Amino acid sequence: MTDAVLKYGDQELPLEVLDVTDGDRGLDISPLRSSLGLVTMDRGFGNTAESRSDVSYIDGEQGILRYRGYPIEQLAEQASFLEVAYLLQYGELPTASELDAYAQRITYHTMLREDMKNMFEAFPHRAHPMSILASATSALATYYPDALDPLDPESVDISARRLIAKTPTMIAWSYKYAVHQPYVYPDNDLDYSANFLKMMFSVPAEVYEPDPVVVKALNMLLILHADHGQNCSASAVRLVGSGHANIFSSIAAGIAALSGPLHGGANQAVLEMLSAIYESGDDIDTVIKRAKDKEDPFRLMGFGHRVYKNFDPRARIIKTAAEEVLEALGVDDPLLDLAMQLEEIALEDEYFVDRKLYPNVDFYSGIIYRAMGFPTDMFTVLFALGRLPGWIAQWRELAADPGARIFRPRQLYTGPAVRDMTPIDNR
Ligand code: ACO
């Protein structure tokens, strides 16, 4: 291992360089403050690794994403969502019998406590599904107070399974309440995606058969969203968990973080942007011009990424899937054509080329969700459903790490220097 040396004035501080399996090596700056009285400044943590992690690997320059070493393309093509959830939780792909047992241990928990219905009914009918999901997830801690100890592996395991099992039911029930339809109970004979679709879209008056095209596409979309390193929401989950908050509160924090339009909320924002462009009849050049204008707050939603500077491998898969799914469902959506034209023009534009701005995971996902029948304001809860196993794996990794410390960044104080308080009558 090669050390680095930091020179500051006439002092020299050797710093350890930390090895990795793949990607950037790390410089351990922990002695910096105690030795030199310096802290580091890194806005948006663009250059900071808080932890070592084994969960997922991203190479933004090459457009690579792997979960536990497996390329995302292979998992999206061949795996089921629960298989990926198992992989993220336990580090290895399950055998057929392990997967079967895991699926049974999940489906056992798909029901919600009946009195949770009162909670959904306390919200306005038009409440945003992300706000309801964050609240309902946090509320789960009140129903299972005996399994909240973050340092007890058995409690963590059952809470993780409850979360994965109950989140589809919570999302579907918040939707049913919003559209004034009766709640649909889980059907444990169906697989994860099919059961979710049934709870969302079936009504007691009619027989419901989930469309296999939709089930397959949803399974793939959930897999593509399942983890993504130390992004904003995963970091929120870990940060809250670092204080030994329970897993439900920590995941609720992740959902809150994901809701913002710069993060998971971008999938809703993309669809709203495409609809607004379509309805206004603006030509694409005008839209691109606005996105480049620094005086205009408008950004091309679904474009750009902190890490991907070549292409987002998830966006590539979703773009192809969007075309296939819409064709299979017989949906002709002018917003898909509009998105493709926008992408084509942006990718040739000097502004986007220079800044390495490419379509991200959110650019095409909303078009598939819309074709499946999901309302626009539900797109981000679908992202949350997919990301759940990743958040849990990240939280568990930190909880099991003997070197973990409570997250407590430093600051560079730039406020007023010390001054005496003037009594209120003299101010
Ligand atoms: N449209 C127009 N210009 C953009 C865009 C965009 N979508 N994204 C970045 N830029 C420009 C910035 O104005 C900046 O230009 P400058 O160097 O001339 O000042 C440059 O590109 C770098 O952008 P930053 O905001 O510094 O990049 P950062 O890594 O901090 O932000 C982010 C990444 C938030 C994703 C940004 O690209 C963005 O706002 N995109 C639109 C929202 C979006 O799609 N979010 C989803 C991301 S994926 C996810 O979280 C699931």
Side-chain angles (χ1 to χ4, degrees), residues 59 95 103 106 110 113 167 214 217 268 421:
D59 180 333
T95 62
I106 296 282
T110 49
R113 293 282 177 87
T167 301
V214 177
Q268 174 175 340
M421 183 176 167

Side-chain angles (χ1 to χ4, degrees), residues 266-281:
N267 59 11
Q268 174 175 340
V270 169
L271 220 283
E272 287 167 352
M273 174 189 79
L274 292 173
S275 304
I277 298 170
Y278 184 70
E279 277 156 29
S280 71

Side-chain angles (χ1 to χ4, degrees), residues 59-256:
D59 180 333
E61 274 71 38
Q62 303 292 323
I64 289 172
L65 170 61
R66 298 182 198 133
Y67 300 161
R68 304 272 188 195
Y70 295 103
I72 190 63
E73 292 80 5
Q74 292 179 20
L75 294 169
E77 175 73 27
Q78 299 171 41
S80 72
F81 179 59
L82 282 188
E83 208 174 340
V84 170
Y86 183 103
L87 170 70
L88 291 169
Q89 302 304 297
Y90 304 114
E92 296 297 336
L93 282 169
T95 62
S97 61
E98 282 167 343
L99 179 59
D100 200 38
Y102 181 62
Q104 278 184 30
R105 284 186 293 140
I106 296 282
T107 46
Y108 181 74
H109 294 288
T110 49
M111 301 249 300
L112 299 180
R113 293 282 177 87
E114 199 65 12
D115 40 3
M116 266 194 101
K117 280 181 182 167
N118 299 329
M119 203 196 68
F120 293 106
E121 286 159 17
F123 289 105
H125 283 282
R126 298 173 68 92
H128 196 282
M130 280 297 268
S131 302
I132 301 179
L133 184 62
S135 308
T137 302
S138 186
L140 285 178
T142 67
Y143 291 91
Y144 306 102
D146 52 334
L148 298 181
D149 181 355
L151 304 177
D152 172 34
E154 264 182 48
S155 293
V156 170
D157 205 54
I158 191 169
S159 294
R161 282 185 276 121
R162 280 178 173 142
L163 271 165
I164 293 173
K166 292 179 197 301
T167 301
T169 319
M170 294 193 293
I171 294 174
W173 281 20
S174 73
Y175 173 67
K176 285 299 188 193
Y177 173 68
V179 294
H180 304 266
Q181 286 181 6
Y183 302 112
V184 176
Y185 286 89
D187 180 344
N188 288 352
D189 287 336
L190 294 177
D191 82 5
Y192 195 83
S193 300
N195 171 51
F196 174 56
L197 290 165
K198 184 175 172 192
M199 288 191 290
M200 279 288 303
F201 297 121
S202 72
V203 289
E206 286 171 17
V207 175
Y208 177 83
E209 282 293 332
D211 184 331
V213 173
V214 177
V215 173
K216 185 167 174 255
L218 181 60
N219 178 68
M220 188 241 351
L221 285 164
L222 294 178
I223 291 173
L224 290 178
H225 287 88
D227 195 55
H228 211 239
Q230 308 308 309
N231 57 82
C232 173
S233 54
S235 299
V237 168
R238 290 178 84 117
L239 185 140
V240 174
S242 77
H244 289 183
N246 70 65
I247 192 167
F248 300 111
S249 304
S250 307
I251 299 295
I255 295 167

